[in-house]
Amino acid sequence: MSNENSQGEEINHFRRIVYIWIALSVVCDLLFWFLVGPHVPPGRMTSSAQGDQLDFNILFVIGLPVLIGVSEWLVYAAFNWNAKKKDTPESVGGPRAWGNKRVEVSWIIVTSVVVVCLAGFGIIELVALQGAGGGEGPNPIWYPHGAIQAETAALAGTGTWSPNSNDVLPVQVIAQQWKFTYRYPTFGGFESSELILPDDTAIAFNVTSLDVIHSFWAYQLEVKADANPLENNVAFTRTQQLGNFVVRCSELCGLWHGAMFNYGTVVSQAAFEKWATTTEAANAANTKNLAPFAWTYVPDANGAAGGYYPDGNVTPYSPTEIYGSKQPS
Amino acid sequence: MTISAERPTEVDDKGVDPPEFIAQPKLRRHGLLGQHLGTAIVCGFLGYILGHWLGNYVASGYPYIANSGQNSIAVLLALMFMVLGWLIGIGALNYPFAKMLGREAKGEVEYQGWTRYFRYNLDHKVVGIQYVVGVLVFFFTGGLLAMAIRTELLNPTVHVFSADTYIKIVSEHGTIMMMMASSVVVGPLGNYFVPLMIGARRMAYPRIEAFSFWIFSAGYLVIFSALFFGGFPTGWTGYAPLQTQAGPGMISYLFGFAIISIGMMAAGFNLAVTIINYRAPGMTWSRVPIFVWSIIATAALLTLASPVLLAAGLFGILDKTVQTAFYVTEHGGSSYLWENLFWFFGHPEVYILIIPGFGIISHVVSTFSGKPVFGYLAMAYAMVAIGFLGFIVWAHHMFTVGMPLNLQAYFVAATMVIAVPTGVKVFSWIATMWGGSIEFKTPMLFAVGFIFLFTVGGVTGVVLANAGIDYALHDSYYVVAHFHYVLSLGAVFAIFAGFYYWFEKMWGVRYNETLATIHFWLTFVGVNIVFFPQHFLGLQGMPRRSIDYPAAFSYWNRVSSYGYLVALMGLVVFIAVLAEAAIRRRAARANPWGAGATTLEWTLSSPPPFHQFNELPVIHADSH
């Protein structure tokens, strides 16, 4: 402390590190934000994808300076305080080397503030985007306007969807080893192996599984919800661009997990209605033979375990009651 | 040098009982007589045969076994009897059996010479060395499985293994690596250096300590045996009901976890009691070395988190053998139960790996900067805080399972909070380097590498902690990159730093600095080439654990696979370092690092004498 010279030098080091850090951080952040940021996956096909891109870019812009700061400090130390260097001063000793309450406390306060802000930001984004495309379980507490009514009506078989009505479209995703199928309850509950969605529409994905745990991951839509047997996992998003997207399973589900993918398309509302009504009519004979629409299904009494458990203790096709609505007969 | 290890002239013995010797040792030099690894293998083998026969005898008439032709009960009993035979064969049960039969236990014979490393030995230094070999066997097995994975992923097609084999390799790799890592620092370095650092003559429970190693090694055999029972297809996370659906290899996984969790509890309990009760006179809590703080934080995690894994494993074993349905929803269980139990263990588990690493890095950075650890108390509290927080953030591994949003919000916030104590650690390391006179010897290179890689993993971790972003990245290669940066790079760099730091102390010979530096650079460059591109793959949307992938992902996969070759060369150089040191046998110095190394183990010879601290050291001042 008393050594004027070393004190002055120390301040120099610190200033130098800070100046370099600020310069590098600003440059890298700006380069990232303007050059890379707009292209960060998964794009902007839905509200949740766009929100995700924004969140990722903001966190990256905050994280990059941390990384730059630590690396810069390490490199700086390696050059400046290297014992091999000629006329390196003696290492700092005495009480100053043991710690400095003021520095430590201010560091903790600064990091705490940053962390609390980040956590708050993360939570706000989660709520504002109605779950940000993630599974919220069977009883979502944040949802787009009209979603619960649409879901309840869908289960009762009275749901409707038409272009320009701003209705929420419920879609059921049924995962099984090793494929996804989709049911559209507002169109008579027909089943499709491709996922067609209308543009500019809030979608409620109801994800369930017939056997093991899968995960419905519509990459470009930024929707991911685990498919658990006998559970309905609801995720919301809002489409806002036309285009194709890919659906993959993202939870290890056995042998052909890697091959469990298919494709979907976001089409205009009119085109969607045309496709849905046509397919509903074309599939009517098959739909009759399907299990009545429900949020969850037990495929047969043996369940997922392939005959491991003895028969006889479950009713086939027993729908689980959700939203307090009446079970279809 | 602020610690003095002088004769305790002024010690008042009130409240500080000088620990007694382990047992008045009869030093024998017999070769192959008595119980040792050989008898353990024989007894384990006999136990396996007995158990398998018993399982077939009892259960082959069960309908599901008769229908499937796969007798999980026989596999389970075979493995149980194998572990029992292993423990009997090594002599772990001699003492408790003698006591139970009402006989006066004779106490174990302390063998000297090389055969002691193959016996049930109660000297913590021997157990430490045994653990080094044990974790290296684990590590190389897992590393070779990683080579198989990267070879398959060189190319988007299915070209080396079948999908079936591939997923089993992935599962085995993850399981072996995680279980190896659960003991990677605590086992070798914790057991070896905690008594030396706190000035103790021995561990509190030497028999439990030796037991923890021998059951850990039995756990390796059990987990590895999965490959001979057809493997298991669930990844190291073992999610049910895929678990329930899997073949008998799953039994190895579940039982292996159960076995290793018993070993973890034993190791943690012994270390905690030792640190609390066996500190030398004057070694107050504000004077114990940071590494000891890290070990006691880890010991708390080991003892509190492992029972959950044990319970989860036993539920799974019951599901798989006697058709209970803990994890099967349609029969009244829940597929969420396993996920929650598993991650309630699984998150503390990752801190079990990394917190001892924090301790090592503090010592290495402090020693080679020639400065005390900056902010000692903050560092100690930070590790305890990280350990505590580890218990309340488990569901961030399962943001997508369908939790209510308010619960997700809690887990987002709690997870973010971990960044504060972790930030304290990183800050303190770089502040310790401030104004120092830094020597970049191999341990310091690994420590600096650790700080950099851990920061990368931390930054990607903060991104993942946001549930909103996690939906895009969950179970993608981004997550793979993140946890390999903090674990495979972080923990492994920490263990290498510690390994080189204490090399002379443990082995009594010097290593070759040039070779070791080459080892560092190859590893550092290699692992970065392996794992950095995986961030891009994850962002592109490549899911984990899939054998084939779209051609669009092949570029970065190829880069990643080539990186493995560089890392592998690093591993080869590491073996060369060991071989060179073993052949040249340059005598070790008591303290190779000079004034910077201030903890008690450096006051002893290298390797420490069989009876360390004949005169207990008395600590007069802070060492930090």
Side-chain angles (χ1 to χ4, degrees), chain A residues 273-292:
Chain A
E273 199 194 25
K274 184 153 173 275
W275 173 80
T277 44
T278 322
T279 317
E280 182 184 356
N283 283 8
N286 293 336
T287 309
K288 257 199 327 214
N289 295 327
L290 290 178

Side-chain angles (χ1 to χ4, degrees), chain B residues 286-471:
Chain B
S286 61
R287 287 176 183 173
V288 295
I290 281 285
F291 181 67
V292 176
W293 268 109
S294 75
I295 292 291
I296 199 166
T298 312
L301 296 177
L302 284 167
T303 39
L304 296 175
S306 311
V308 181
L309 179 68
L310 181 59
L314 290 180
F315 289 165
I317 287 174
L318 290 175
D319 274 11
K320 293 273 321 148
T321 52
V322 293
Q323 291 180 300
T324 57
F326 286 100
Y327 303 136
V328 182
T329 315
E330 72 242 44
H331 292 273
S334 171
S335 52
Y336 293 117
L337 179 61
W338 169 268
E339 288 181 271
N340 278 293
L341 287 177
F342 181 81
W343 285 119
F344 188 82
F345 153 80
H347 198 78
E349 159 79 359
V350 302
Y351 292 138
I352 289 170
L353 320 186
I354 201 71
I355 290 179
F358 291 163
I360 294 175
I361 298 302
S362 288
H363 280 270
V364 172
V365 169
S366 148
T367 299
F368 292 96
S369 306
K371 286 179 65 195
V373 174
F374 184 87
Y376 164 87
L377 270 188
M379 286 297 256
Y381 292 152
M383 285 187 291
V384 176
I386 292 172
F388 171 74
L389 289 170
F391 279 105
I392 55 170
V393 296
W394 77 93
H396 69 216
H397 295 270
M398 30 195 274
F399 273 139
T400 60
V401 299
M403 279 186 288
L405 220 52
N406 46 10
L407 204 53
Q408 299 200 21
Y410 159 73
F411 280 109
V412 169
T415 307
M416 287 284 194
V417 168
I418 298 175
V420 175
T422 317
V424 169
K425 312 251 18 141
V426 174
F427 175 72
S428 161
W429 291 323
I430 59 178
T432 305
M433 293 168 73
W434 175 272
S437 167
I438 308 170
E439 288 181 275
F440 285 92
K441 297 262 175 62
T442 313
M444 187 61 179
L445 288 176
F446 272 104
V448 171
F450 170 91
I451 296 171
F452 171 72
L453 298 170
F454 190 74
T455 311
V456 174
V459 168
T460 56
V462 169
V463 171
L464 286 171
N466 267 286
I469 305 177
D470 183 67
Y471 297 142

Side-chain angles (χ1 to χ4, degrees), chain A residues 145-170:
Chain A
H145 180 69
I148 296 302
Q149 291 87 325
E151 293 264 285
T152 315
L155 186 64
T158 57
T160 55
W161 184 89
S162 52
N164 305 320
S165 63
N166 211 19
D167 286 337
V168 176
L169 178 73

Side-chain angles (χ1 to χ4, degrees), chain B residues 108-190:
Chain B
E108 286 74 359
V109 179
E110 288 295 335
Y111 286 93
Q112 289 293 62
W114 62 273
T115 60
R116 69 188 147 156
Y117 295 107
F118 298 92
R119 293 178 193 276
Y120 195 73
N121 197 298
L122 304 189
D123 183 5
H124 71 93
K125 300 186 285 297
V126 174
V127 177
I129 301 283
Q130 289 172 334
Y131 257 117
V132 172
V133 178
V135 296
L136 280 181
V137 170
F138 258 70
F139 181 66
F140 285 127
T141 314
L144 288 176
L145 291 168
M147 179 163 72
I149 295 171
R150 282 318 326 167
T151 310
E152 177 59 57
L153 294 180
L154 259 173
N155 191 300
T157 57
V158 179
H159 63 114
V160 183
F161 304 109
S162 67
D164 186 42
T165 313
Y166 174 77
I167 197 61
K168 284 162 183 173
I169 288 171
V170 171
S171 307
E172 195 72 30
H173 162 75
T175 310
I176 284 199
M177 282 303 202
M178 290 307 278
M179 290 300 106
M180 173 280 288
S182 70
S183 300
V184 71
V185 182
V186 174
L189 300 178

Side-chain angles (χ1 to χ4, degrees), chain B residues 53-65:
Chain B
W53 170 81
L54 191 66
N56 277 324
Y57 181 75
V58 171
S60 52
Y62 287 13
Y64 84 90
I65 289 173

Side-chain angles (χ1 to χ4, degrees), chain A residues 58-227:
Chain A
I58 286 177
L59 277 170
F60 203 88
V61 162
I62 294 169
L64 205 53
V66 175
L67 193 59
I68 290 172
V70 171
S71 335
E72 182 211 339
W73 189 299
L74 293 174
V75 171
Y76 192 90
F79 281 104
N80 267 284
W81 297 310
N82 199 321
K84 271 190 196 150
K85 227 178 78 172
K86 276 174 201 160
D87 57 75
T88 316
E90 282 279 291
S91 44
V92 177
R96 277 198 312 150
W98 291 16
N100 182 332
K101 276 245 167 65
R102 227 178 55 198
V103 173
E104 288 170 51
V105 169
S106 27
W107 172 258
I108 291 175
I109 290 173
V110 168
T111 49
S112 301
V113 168
V114 171
V115 159
V116 167
C117 290
L118 283 179
F121 171 73
I123 292 168
I124 289 168
E125 284 289 282
L126 206 54
V127 172
L129 291 165
Q130 288 116 17
E136 294 186 54
N139 300 302
I141 46 176
W142 298 97
Y143 42 81
H145 180 69
I148 296 302
Q149 291 87 325
E151 293 264 285
T152 315
L155 186 64
T158 57
T160 55
W161 184 89
S162 52
N164 305 320
S165 63
N166 211 19
D167 286 337
V168 176
L169 178 73
V171 177
Q172 183 170 49
V173 179
I174 303 171
Q176 58 185 299
Q177 287 169 326
W178 288 276
K179 63 175 180 180
F180 289 106
T181 45
Y182 310 95
R183 289 187 82 168
Y184 292 82
T186 37
F187 293 92
F190 76 83
E191 192 170 82
S192 160
S193 59
E194 52 180 345
L195 181 56
I196 309 288
L197 298 174
D199 189 22
D200 196 22
T201 305
I203 315 282
F205 291 102
N206 295 266
V207 184
T208 189
S209 164
L210 297 183
D211 36 50
V212 301
I213 301 177
H214 303 268
S215 191
F216 169 71
W217 180 16
Y219 171 69
Q220 283 88 346
L221 308 186
E222 218 268 304
V223 171
K224 191 177 282 167
D226 280 12

